[in-house]
Amino acid sequence: MTLTLRSDSLDWALDHALNFGDTTMFPLPFEYEAIKYDWLNVRAFLAGQDVLNWVVRPHRAMLSPKAKYGFRVMTQLDPLDFLIYASLVKEIGPDIELARIASDIAFSYRCLVGTGGQLFDPGIGYSSFKIKTEQVLDGDASISHVVAVTDISDFYPRIYSHRLENALHNSTHRNSHVKAIMHLLSGWNGSESFGIPVGNAPSRLLAEATISNVDDALLANGVRFVRYNDDYRIFATSYSQSYRHLAFLADVLYKTQGLTLQPQKTLTVPTSEFRRRFLPAPEERELDSLNDKFGVLLGELGLSDPYGEIEYTDLDPDQQKIIDSLNLVEIFREEIAKDDPDFGIIRFVLSRMGQLGDDSLVDDALDNLNSLHPIFPSVVGYLRNLRSITPTRSAEIGGKVLRLLEDSLISELDYHRMWALDLFTHSTEWDNETRFFALLGAARDQLSRRKLILAMGRAKQRHWFQSQWRSLFDEPHWPRRALLAAASCMPADARNHWCRSVEPRLDPLEKAVMRWAKNTPF
């Protein structure tokens, strides 16, 4: 038995990575641009593989912040692994969707494969989940006097492999695809028999397939509920009925999935209290209002990209008045002064200030990372979007970011160090290149080393790269590809000699990186 992937599925998988990212928590690896450049060769290689016997490649897993003091482990797959994984899931995605309960009960990650790498229906999501909750409460009052709220503890990391396999077999007759997916998971998990890679879209659809039988059991038992991912809201006529439904859910979860509910997030409240605590809070209404106002402006400007650049000075007085009325700087400062700031509002403000290229919040953001560290990628994204700032100001900001790596909360997690250094891998505008070599010598993790190699390439620190060609294969895979790309900063003769000497030993992804870098040298 063999299984090969269709070329159109591989095309779709690459589009998905380029348009939606390979994870929600990591910067998109430059390798995807290299793969795009060398796609005919890479696709031919992948299309010729029997994925039932594919040997998985080194992935990256690290702690990332979840709220102020919580953590979770996120995974970034090797780009070739991801393309195979995404292609397999895409090909059985419609089957999984057909096996699920109605989309007006389970609102998370409804499969709708589309062009450009789309995997999920953009019209169904968390906002639909909230709207449906309100509709149930506003309907027949006799069916809902109380609401139980709960979610699953450690959902993705605790999904058992054999239960996922059973769920997939119940969803699709493409047994070879199921076998290939389980083969990949076994390679990534090693000796563990549970867990799926956290943070990417294909895994989300597999999780939905796994939990589908729990949804079916609730419906069969007459439970009125809605669900988004691992978040359940159960409607009941009394506390005793609510308790009975929660107990049934807990029992089914444990017996069929080996999962448990989070006790600290499980409660039953009267509908009036539920409305006050869980339906749109003042912060959410404020965010909706901000979005509406910005939407008016985008409509007037005719911008098809809702996050496209906006030059304030090019706006007419009425349009400038809309921007001024938002008072984004004051909103940001009010939020960060709170003990429990609303990260949704802060992300909105940072993205819009970046869209405007306004650096007014740089110091506020970087000086308040003790509270903003869970959304540090949004801070970095804001900095990257700044425009029309002087080289002196850019160097000052770059120096401040690098100082965070010396002695601050940002210096403690590989995840934060990776995001801080990512700023320097795309351009030289942040200066401070004289510090890269010392930082590389002190780097204690592969992620930082990879980012610093890329930053040194952007800064054209050729002397270092000219001494590295003999040790290329001493580097682990992820830093090795960074070295292949960044060494393109060397003079053409030296670069070409190096490429000729190492090419016979490169794997297909490394060859794509080398070809891309030769075409667009750092």
Side-chain angles (χ1 to χ4, degrees):
M1 179 188 297
T2 61
L3 176 65
T4 56
L5 294 167
R6 302 198 313 259
S7 292
D8 66 299
S9 293
L10 290 165
D11 290 341
W12 176 93
L14 179 59
D15 285 344
H16 177 85
L18 292 170
N19 294 329
F20 297 93
D22 62 338
T23 75
T24 56
M25 301 297 288
F26 289 73
L28 184 69
F30 71 85
E31 284 90 338
Y32 287 103
E33 286 298 327
I35 290 170
K36 179 181 178 182
Y37 174 79
D38 197 35
W39 184 231
L40 291 180
N41 289 316
V42 175
R43 184 177 63 187
F45 169 73
L46 293 176
Q49 299 299 305
D50 175 10
V51 293
L52 292 171
N53 292 304
W54 176 262
V55 178
V56 297
R57 297 156 58 88
H59 64 281
R60 309 197 290 184
M62 74 180 77
L63 279 179
S64 67
K66 184 180 182 181
K68 193 169 184 178
Y69 295 114
F71 301 93
R72 59 185 164 190
V73 176
M74 303 297 293
T75 305
Q76 186 167 47
L77 302 176
D78 175 274
L80 297 188
D81 281 3
F82 178 80
L83 293 176
I84 289 175
Y85 185 45
S87 297
L88 286 166
V89 173
K90 174 257 185 184
E91 290 185 359
I92 64 170
D95 294 343
I96 293 174
E97 178 62 29
L98 286 174
R100 296 177 62 188
I101 65 170
S103 60
D104 64 346
I105 299 175
F107 291 88
S108 42
Y109 311 118
R110 307 302 308 211
C111 182
L112 182 63
V113 175
T115 58
Q118 176 186 295
L119 182 58
F120 301 126
D121 188 338
I124 303 174
Y126 191 74
S127 61
S128 309
F129 170 67
K130 293 193 297 182
I131 291 169
K132 181 63 175 183
T133 301
E134 290 189 72
Q135 289 176 344
V136 172
L137 296 179
D138 291 340
D140 186 355
S142 65
I143 66 169
S144 182
H145 295 165
V146 296
V147 183
V149 177
T150 190
D151 65 22
I152 302 170
S153 179
D154 295 327
F155 182 22
Y156 285 28
R158 305 304 303 180
I159 290 176
Y160 279 95
S161 299
H162 72 277
R163 290 178 174 122
L164 170 59
E165 185 174 11
N166 290 339
L168 292 178
H169 279 305
N170 289 334
S171 300
T172 182
H173 295 298
R174 299 188 183 196
N175 294 331
S176 294
H177 283 69
V178 176
K179 185 177 180 180
I181 289 170
M182 301 314 299
H183 173 69
L184 292 177
L185 294 175
S186 176
W188 295 322
N189 289 337
S191 60
E192 302 290 352
S193 60
F194 54 84
I196 59 177
V198 178
N200 63 65
S203 287
R204 294 189 187 103
L205 191 54
L206 296 188
E208 291 296 326
T210 306
I211 205 72
S212 184
N213 68 331
V214 177
D215 293 338
D216 292 336
L218 289 173
L219 283 180
N221 201 51
V223 179
R224 183 76 183 271
F225 73 100
V226 292
R227 178 178 65 81
Y228 185 86
N229 198 13
D230 57 357
D231 183 1
Y232 285 87
R233 293 174 177 176
I234 298 172
F235 308 100
T237 58
S238 65
Y239 279 94
S240 60
Q241 186 187 61
S242 169
Y243 188 81
R244 182 166 66 250
H245 290 340
L246 280 173
F248 179 77
L249 171 59
D251 188 54
V252 172
L253 272 174
Y254 182 74
K255 287 180 177 177
T256 65
Q257 305 293 334
L259 297 170
T260 59
L261 299 176
Q262 291 201 52
Q264 67 272 27
K265 292 187 176 181
T266 300
L267 72 161
T268 296
V269 294
T271 54
S272 57
E273 185 177 346
F274 175 86
R275 288 179 186 274
R276 179 177 58 82
R277 293 176 59 177
F278 295 97
L279 292 184
E283 293 84 0
E284 291 181 274
R285 287 193 288 270
E286 181 178 4
L287 185 55
D288 288 342
S289 175
L290 293 172
N291 273 310
D292 289 344
K293 289 180 180 179
F294 222 90
V296 170
L297 177 64
L298 295 176
E300 290 184 0
L301 296 178
L303 287 180
S304 57
D305 177 5
Y307 293 97
E309 292 183 0
I310 296 175
E311 292 293 345
Y312 181 85
T313 54
D314 291 341
L315 303 178
D316 65 37
D318 288 339
Q319 292 166 342
Q320 289 182 352
K321 190 177 296 184
I322 294 175
I323 293 291
D324 296 340
S325 71
L326 295 176
N327 201 3
L328 297 173
V329 172
E330 188 60 32
I331 290 171
F332 182 89
R333 289 173 177 165
E334 286 178 1
E335 281 301 321
I336 61 175
K338 297 176 181 178
D339 292 334
D340 187 21
D342 186 284
F343 290 143
I345 291 177
I346 291 174
R347 283 194 186 97
F348 172 87
V349 172
L350 288 174
S351 69
R352 296 313 189 186
M353 290 291 281
Q355 194 172 2
L356 291 164
D358 190 329
D359 70 337
S360 301
L361 290 176
V362 169
D363 294 327
D364 292 274
L366 295 180
D367 290 342
N368 286 277
L369 289 174
N370 280 351
S371 59
L372 296 184
H373 68 89
I375 58 166
F376 186 57
S378 296
V379 175
V380 173
Y382 164 57
L383 298 179
R384 188 177 291 124
N385 287 330
L386 297 180
R387 307 183 298 278
S388 303
I389 56 177
T390 66
T392 300
R393 177 62 169 155
S394 294
E396 176 189 327
I397 294 170
K400 195 165 187 175
V401 170
L402 291 182
R403 284 193 295 276
L404 292 171
L405 303 178
E406 297 170 358
D407 184 23
S408 76
L409 190 149
I410 296 303
S411 68
E412 298 301 324
L413 286 184
D414 296 353
Y415 174 81
H416 285 138
R417 293 194 298 273
M418 170 191 68
W419 272 105
L421 291 169
D422 186 66
L423 191 66
F424 299 87
T425 67
H426 300 278
S427 74
T428 58
E429 66 181 299
W430 307 103
D431 200 6
N432 290 275
E433 61 192 48
T434 57
R435 302 180 61 185
F436 295 161
F437 184 75
L439 287 168
L440 183 64
R444 59 183 189 266
D445 61 274
Q446 287 189 32
L447 291 96
S448 295
R449 181 171 179 81
R450 172 179 157 97
K451 292 297 182 185
L452 284 163
I453 290 171
L454 293 171
M456 290 172 70
R458 289 292 178 203
K460 294 182 171 56
Q461 296 188 359
R462 298 185 174 103
H463 61 283
W464 185 81
F465 290 96
Q466 289 171 340
S467 68
Q468 296 300 307
W469 70 274
R470 294 182 186 275
S471 59
L472 173 68
F473 293 99
D474 294 335
E475 295 279 0
H477 286 75
W478 289 79
R480 184 191 307 168
R481 294 195 294 266
L483 187 54
L484 279 169
S488 64
C489 72
M490 293 191 300
D493 287 347
R495 179 173 71 236
N496 292 335
H497 173 72
W498 190 24
C499 289
R500 285 193 298 270
S501 68
V502 301
E503 185 171 11
R505 298 175 62 188
L506 301 181
D507 68 26
L509 178 53
E510 292 165 347
K511 288 179 181 177
V513 168
M514 185 190 67
R515 291 164 184 157
W516 167 73
K518 284 177 66 177
N519 183 66
T520 54
F522 276 36

